[in-house]
Amino acid sequence: MDTDDRTHAMAPNVDAVAGYFRDLQRRICEAVAAEDGAAAFIADPQNHPGGGLSHPMLLSGGEVVEKAAVNFSRSSGDRLPSAA
């Protein structure tokens, strides 16, 4: 096995990692909404030029939680985003 094969074999499955974090985001939102009991999160997805996605989940006006956001971002492209 040459170096390229080992690097490819050890490379993370980006879709699986993103799926894990999106599911974690969902579980966090469900737990916070359940604790609040009155408000629900809404999605506000935003595509980025050059690749990537921001997927914030927003809650406002709850009985216990006034405002909350649980964010997930996935960046792709040929260079790092300006915030990096």
Side-chain angles (χ1 to χ4, degrees):
M1 182 182 285
D2 66 16
T3 303
D4 288 336
D5 290 338
R6 283 193 302 268
T7 301
H8 181 68
M10 295 182 334
N13 180 330
V14 175
D15 291 332
V17 172
Y20 170 81
F21 282 112
R22 288 292 306 277
D23 184 61
L24 177 60
Q25 179 189 40
R26 178 191 57 78
R27 290 183 283 137
I28 292 169
C29 291
E30 287 176 355
V32 171
E35 284 296 317
D36 184 82
F41 281 86
I42 58 168
D44 185 23
Q46 302 166 12
N47 289 312
H48 295 283
L53 168 76
S54 290
H55 196 272
M57 299 293 292
L58 309 171
L59 176 144
S60 63
E63 293 291 322
V64 177
V65 180
E66 182 178 341
K67 290 184 179 180
V70 182
N71 298 311
F72 170 78
S73 294
R74 179 177 178 175
S75 297
S76 61
D78 59 352
R79 62 177 193 232
L80 292 171
S82 59

